[in-house]
Structures are given as C-alpha cells and as structure tokens.
Amino acid sequence: AQETASRWRVERTECCNLRYQENTAASRDLAELVAVVDEATARVEEHFGRKLPQVEFVLIDTLWGNGGYAGNEVVVSYLDRDFSPGRRTTFRQTVLHELAHAMTDWFEYSTPWPLIEGVAVQFTQGHFKPEPLGPRARALSDAGELPPLDVLFDTFPDMQHETRYVAVGAFTEFLVSEHGFDELLDLFDSELDIATPSRWLDAAATEVLGQPLSAIQSAFDAWVGGFDPRDQALDLQLTIALQEARRAFQAAHDPYPNYFVFASVRETGQAGLTMRDPVDVRLVAVEALIAYAQDLIIEGELEAARDVVAAVEEVVADSAVGSGISGEFLAVAEAVAAAGYELISFRPEPGATSAVATADAPALVAVDLVNEAGEWRVVGSRPITASAVAAG
C-alpha cells in the first residue's frame, strides 16, 4: 500500500532539484531535510570557493550500500529503520560528503579515485561521522594497516572499506595542514594524463608541491607519527568489525540494486526498489540491533558497543539470532509485531522502556513496553510528532 500510493516529487532548493517519493520518511520530514541540504550547500560552496552547479539530489527510502553515492545524480538513503553507518544524527555529514563529490566532479580532470574520496573525507573531517583523522591514521599505523601511499593509491578499490577511507582522509588532511587548501586544489586539478594512480600522484606532487612521492611519503609518515591514537584504535576496530558484519547481512538479506549508479533511480519504473525493506520479524530485529550498535559507536560508548558488535558478528556468522542481546531484540520485535506494529528502533533499558515502531508507514509511534518475568509486551502507544522525528 505504501508503494502504491507513492509518486516522485521534486522540491527546488538553492542548489538542487531535491527529489523524493510521497508517503516516505523523506516526504514526512521534508522541511527539515531541505534546511539541511541548503545549509550544507552553503558550507560546500564556502569551502571550495565555487558555486555548485544544479544538482539532481535524490532521497530514497531504502538502504543503498553504505548510505549514498554520487554518480549521475546524488543519492542519499533516508529511511526510518536505518542500519547504515550514516545515521539520522549524522545525515548532514553524509549530505556534505556527497555534495563535495558533486562539486569536485565539476572540475576534476584525471584525478585518481583515492584523492577524490580523500578530499570529501577531509572536508567533512571524518567518513561516516566526525573523526580525528590524524589520530585515526596513527591507530591504523600502529596496527600495521596503514599502507604506503603508492600501495594505497594503486590498490584502493580492493582495500577494506573503512581502512582505505581513513587512510586517504588522513593523507588529504596532511596535505592541507602542510601545504594549504589552495595547493590541494591545484594538486587535485592537475591535468595529467597518467593512468597509474601512484605515478599520477608522484608527477602531480612534483609539479605542484615541488616534492616527489618519496619525499611526500617521508613527511606523511612523520606527521602520522606525531599523533596520539587515544581511543581511536578501539573505535576503528569496532567500526570495521561492525561494517563488515553489516555488509555481509545486507548482501544476504537486504541487497541493493547496483545499477542505480548507472541510471537514474527515478527511471527504474519500480517504486519498490527505493522503498521496500525486509518485514520478516527476525530481519527487522537484526537491522534494529545493527542500528543500535552504530549509535553506540557514534556516541563514543565503545565499551558498551563491544558486546553489541560481537552479538551482530555472531548473528551473521551463525545466520541465527542468539540468546543474548540479539535474542532480546528479537523478543521485542516479536512483542511489537504481536501488537500490530513493525519495530523501527529500540534501546535496551532495565524494566519498562519504549521503542519506535510503525503500523502505517511513514507514520511513527512510540510503543511502551514492559518486561515481566523475562517476557516483553506492549502496554501502550502514542504518536511521534514530526519535530521529534526530525530531532532523531
């Protein structure tokens, strides 16, 4: 019913044709999302000193990959049971990252992909969330996982996802701190027709910065070595473990259509591709569990996140919900379903607590639950206002 009632609509903003579907989370929260996109646009234009061309910016109601991409159009996932690393609380960061790509796509010549991603990560000061790039790179280096720059650039597509983004983000932060942002843009915009990424970087650095790659490597190593990794080692370890498990779960149970990248999302002719999520109560429970783990890491509750991430890994490895916290999430999802709702999110608390759910998407309700003798049951519900939804 939700899909049948939906049509594509467009909201024209300062930067973008902001496209969304009726009867979705994006349509419900449109005013707040327009404000975020407009503010992000101004931030991108100020940072790069150029005006963005008109952007086709599409919001979809299902999870695509890690939460978005920039291709023929900028596409960002905006959904309620969002188990991506780009959470509602970090939606602005995702928008900034993708708009940075829209900006640099406009003036790049032959820039290798690693530097394209590095510029976006450096601009947003983190990948999925705000992150100290220097200390994070030091944590990678201490773990023996920070590759030399030539290896980083030449093997970037094959590297572990979070590792490669931290590495190129830190390298770009190094370039800005040591040489300045204008020099970075000159490097980025080098008109060099060299296919091998490391050879391109060597030639561009020699031409723009007056230093070959070997000298840049030595200076980068010294820069990384000057940071204290602080809590970034555990944060990075948990982030990588959770994202690897989340991607494995997603590939098996909630896969996304890769061809979105190559044609407009809006021209598929199949609304369900951009709206449909699993409704099996077991999958709903696991998605909510993954989302809870994401939130704990973003909030810096790393010790609490450790057990939840381990539970997610166990569920994915065994293809079954266990008896610990994953079992608790399943019991809550089942109690919510028995009351006629579908679970959206849940944060475990002792005794009575509440969860977010829906019975008629995209309308959301807060359901009150109580755990009596180890059994969860719903004891009441109340609508969630739009302002409360927008506030996360």
Side-chain angles (χ1 to χ4, degrees), residues 127-149:
H127 186 198
F128 301 131
K129 67 182 191 302
E131 296 163 343
L133 296 172
R136 209 161 174 84
R138 173 63 187 271
L140 266 184
S141 178
D142 288 351
E145 296 295 332
L146 183 64
L149 293 173

Side-chain angles (χ1 to χ4, degrees), residues 111-166:
T111 314
W113 183 25
L115 193 58
I116 293 171
E117 294 296 348
V119 166
V121 173
Q122 188 276 331
F123 165 56
T124 58
Q125 288 295 289
H127 186 198
F128 301 131
K129 67 182 191 302
E131 296 163 343
L133 296 172
R136 209 161 174 84
R138 173 63 187 271
L140 266 184
S141 178
D142 288 351
E145 296 295 332
L146 183 64
L149 293 173
D150 58 344
V151 175
L152 172 63
F153 268 62
D154 289 345
T155 66
F156 185 79
D158 303 318
M159 289 178 61
Q160 198 280 326
H161 185 92
E162 284 68 41
T163 298
R164 69 190 189 189
Y165 276 74
V166 169

Side-chain angles (χ1 to χ4, degrees), residues 9-20 54-59 74 266:
R9 292 289 181 257
V10 59
E11 181 82 6
R12 304 194 188 283
T13 73
E14 285 296 317
C15 75
C16 310
N17 294 320
L18 185 62
R19 301 188 184 274
Y20 63 95
Q54 195 70 14
V55 177
E56 294 295 319
F57 195 111
V58 186
L59 295 167
V74 170
R266 296 168 289 112

